[in-house]
Amino acid sequence: MHITINPTTADTWIVPLVQTDTLAAALEEIAAETGLSAERLQQDFKGDAKEALPLYMPDGQKTYLLGLGKSPETMDWLKTFREFFFRNKAKLPATISIDLTGFGSDVVEAVVLGVRAGGYDLRLYQTDKGDAPVFYSEAGTLGIRVDESAESTTKTAVDRAEAIAQTRHEMLDLMNAPANYKNPQTLADWALASGRKHGYAVTVFDKAAIEQHRMHALLSVNKGSDLPPAFIIMEYKPAGVDNARKVGLVGKGITFDTGGISIKPSASMHLMKSDMGGAAAVLGTVEAAAKLKLPVHLIGIIPTTENMVDGSAMKPGDVIGSYIGKTIEVIDTDAEGRLILADGIGYMVRNFQPDVLIDLATLTGSVIGTFGYHAAGMFTQNDALAAELAQAADRTGERVWRLPLWDVYKEDIKSDVADLRNYSGKPFAGAISAAKFLEVFTEGHTAWAHLDIAGTAFSDNEFGAQKNASGYGIRLLIDWLEGITG
Ligand code: BES
Ligand code: MN
Ligand code: ZN
């Protein structure tokens, strides 16, 4: 499918309608243009969110009225179009146009993201998928009608949405891939290919290099796995921008989490193929930032390994080292994310000294207990950073909500035998003690934020009967980066 702005012809139109005082008048106008009864239209279409009414014209033209409810936000536009296209994609014609006259470029971007998201196909490994929907094939065309004066801003919004959607889909595929289709090397290869394609530097430390760098926490988590770990470093520098802000992103890249010797119950263990949601957010954000040529110096780091069980696996009670030299008593081998992040964060801080440091991780079941699947837990001591991220979350609909980092929670990670331990042993405040653990490895960085995305990265939606990838984090971080670079 490709997109054209202000197409000259289309036989199928989508007219989005917001529930305002002018809805009745808008329906009257449509009635007059189409020769239908205004009264009937007003009776049959109320503009409720996601309400869709197809109208068939005698000349063969078809128009869908699509409701958006009252005062829709960006996410409502995105979701309405995502659902409409997902549900109808098999019967949509090759050429469809959407009438967005009178709406701004934020709406254009959300609509294009929604149309693209609706085309996502979860059936990655099904052998009989039938015919691909013609609208989403090479032959498909999406027309976007806007006011003539808005054509150039619309073009920018469309290009931006297309860039983000393309990257996001690749991340969805990676997230939804099972562990026999992806491993640490898969993430490394993706980063290397992306760096070559979009002109940014990627370095991958293999196991020997990880040993040389004394990343003992990452190596300890890797001990039970047949596959080597990897440590991915991506660096995008904007051309011709002096004094660009330096932003460090660290993402948890556990390609499968069995829990290790502290093994997980089997009922939901299959979902742990998604334990690289933080890595996906970082991979996607660095690629999207490079494509959009954002004026920011971005460093992405991904420590990646499986967390497996075998005779050489790390055991509960083991005391391990870490990149910055702190020793850790491993109470629970299932609290592995904070271990690999300890080395990722430690390496980032010591080698890159970023102005701002954000880590993202599918870190705790506790954050799901708190927010369900609707918001990420945000932890930071920096109020300005918290406010910026909260704003980006409001704009993108990728919610964050702040939780505390009070020092009273340090008790939870105190060890008698090592510098700290990885689990309190108590079933309370798990997301907070995990964040307090990570804080140690930031070595006092004053602009650090941790996002616990365990609930938001992989959740229920219209694409399938089971939980699947949301792509959470890419739009949030891109929006935030654009905000801080002005
Ligand atoms: N990857 C899990 C967290 C998780 C749980 C993500 C559910 C997505 C959905 C993490 O490694 C983990 O196992 N955390 C433990 C920590 C505990 C042992 C301290 C948890 O939250 O139960
Ligand atoms: Mn775990
Ligand atoms: Zn995990």
Side-chain angles (χ1 to χ4, degrees):
M1 183 264 279
H2 69 276
I3 300 183
T4 59
I5 296 164
N6 284 337
T8 45
T9 57
D11 65 359
T12 299
W13 280 91
I14 298 175
V15 179
L17 289 165
V18 179
Q19 237 170 24
T20 58
D21 320 339
T22 56
L23 177 62
L27 290 173
E28 256 169 49
E29 208 176 299
I30 293 166
E33 280 169 20
T34 53
L36 295 165
S37 142
E39 236 172 60
R40 276 240 135 128
L41 266 189
Q42 290 164 351
Q43 198 179 352
D44 288 354
F45 184 81
K46 301 297 180 198
D48 290 332
K50 295 174 185 174
E51 180 183 357
L53 179 70
L55 305 174
Y56 301 88
M57 304 304 145
D59 66 358
Q61 207 226 43
K62 182 173 179 183
T63 298
Y64 285 96
L65 305 184
L66 186 57
L68 281 136
K70 287 194 183 75
S71 47
E73 299 188 27
T74 306
M75 199 61 190
D76 302 312
W77 282 97
L78 196 162
K79 276 195 180 158
T80 299
F81 278 85
R82 183 179 86 184
E83 275 198 40
F84 179 85
F85 277 80
F86 180 74
R87 296 202 193 291
N88 295 296
K89 66 180 164 190
K91 50 188 182 199
L92 292 175
T95 303
I96 301 175
S97 290
I98 305 175
D99 185 2
L100 293 178
T101 45
F103 296 107
S105 56
D106 283 3
V107 166
V108 172
E109 187 183 328
V111 166
V112 173
L113 283 165
V115 172
R116 280 290 178 200
Y120 185 69
D121 192 345
L122 192 54
R123 302 171 301 168
L124 295 168
Y125 311 99
Q126 286 186 7
T127 53
D128 185 10
K129 298 191 221 185
D131 291 336
V134 59
F135 173 72
Y136 283 109
S137 73
E138 297 272 310
T141 307
L142 176 68
I144 299 205
R145 183 151 92 186
V146 291
D147 302 308
E148 240 167 74
S149 62
E151 279 185 5
S152 84
T153 53
T154 300
K155 167 118 183 44
T156 311
V158 167
D159 290 348
R160 212 183 107 89
E162 288 280 70
I164 293 171
Q166 165 68 42
T167 298
R168 183 174 167 275
H169 278 211
E170 294 198 23
M171 287 307 111
L172 296 182
D173 284 352
L174 260 188
M175 277 288 276
N176 290 324
N180 62 333
Y181 280 83
K182 69 161 177 251
N183 58 51
Q185 192 59 42
T186 317
L187 302 192
D189 290 343
W190 191 92
L192 288 163
S194 170
R196 273 193 301 270
K197 194 160 164 205
H198 301 291
Y200 61 89
V202 178
T203 308
V204 176
F205 292 166
D206 62 7
K207 188 172 180 183
I210 292 169
E211 282 165 351
Q212 265 161 23
H213 284 91
R214 301 174 183 281
M215 295 176 174
H216 289 299
L218 173 57
L219 288 165
S220 297
V221 174
N222 178 252
K223 276 173 70 183
S225 174
D226 284 345
L227 303 172
F231 192 85
I232 305 167
I233 305 169
M234 315 156 84
E235 184 169 14
Y236 158 71
K237 268 191 202 161
V241 183
D242 297 328
N243 314 319
R245 290 276 288 280
K246 197 197 281 185
V247 172
L249 302 176
V250 182
K252 171 178 173 181
I254 295 289
T255 57
F256 194 80
D257 183 11
T258 64
I261 298 291
S262 315
I263 197 163
K264 287 181 181 296
S266 54
S268 303
M269 197 197 279
H270 62 286
L271 301 176
M272 286 299 115
K273 67 180 184 182
S274 67
D275 210 13
M276 31 60 76
V282 172
L283 289 170
T285 301
V286 175
E287 178 176 280
K291 282 196 210 168
L292 299 173
K293 300 192 165 48
L294 297 189
V296 61
H297 180 182
L298 199 54
I299 297 128
I301 284 186
I302 293 160
T304 172
T305 173
E306 298 181 319
N307 185 24
M308 297 296 292
V309 207
D310 83 350
S312 49
M314 169 174 76
K315 301 174 188 73
D318 282 3
V319 174
I320 65 174
S322 62
Y323 178 76
I324 68 166
K326 295 249 186 246
T327 57
I328 304 162
E329 182 184 8
V330 178
I331 303 295
D332 194 311
T333 63
D334 198 10
E336 86 297 339
R338 66 199 73 181
L339 300 177
I340 69 166
L341 287 171
D343 283 351
I345 291 170
Y347 187 89
M348 176 72 86
V349 169
R350 291 209 172 170
N351 294 277
F352 291 100
Q353 295 100 27
D355 299 320
V356 188
L357 169 62
I358 299 180
D359 77 81
L360 299 100
T362 48
L363 202 61
T364 68
S366 162
V367 85
I368 304 177
T370 305
F371 296 119
Y373 294 88
H374 302 298
M378 170 172 66
F379 299 85
T380 178
Q381 307 270 23
N382 186 311
D383 293 344
L385 181 55
E388 287 168 9
L389 288 169
Q391 266 173 29
D394 284 346
R395 283 193 295 254
T396 56
E398 296 193 342
R399 295 188 184 87
V400 300
W401 198 260
R402 198 173 179 184
L403 291 170
L405 278 169
W406 296 313
D407 277 342
V408 284
Y409 292 102
K410 267 193 190 164
E411 291 300 317
D412 286 349
I413 52 165
K414 237 182 212 159
S415 167
D416 290 333
V417 298
D419 294 332
L420 67 167
R421 61 177 165 160
N422 77 335
Y423 175 43
S424 66
K426 290 177 290 191
F428 329 121
I432 305 177
S433 50
K436 287 307 279 184
F437 181 96
L438 297 180
E439 188 181 38
V440 171
F441 298 88
T442 69
E443 301 193 292
H445 197 290
T446 53
W448 162 66
H450 158 59
L451 299 178
D452 191 336
I453 62 170
T456 50
F458 208 71
S459 52
D460 293 312
N461 55 44
E462 67 266 33
F463 296 108
Q466 297 162 273
K467 290 190 180 13
N468 60 81
S470 69
Y472 182 95
I474 303 173
R475 292 176 49 246
L476 174 76
L477 291 172
I478 291 292
D479 184 280
W480 169 71
L481 286 168
E482 290 189 319
I484 63 165
T485 52

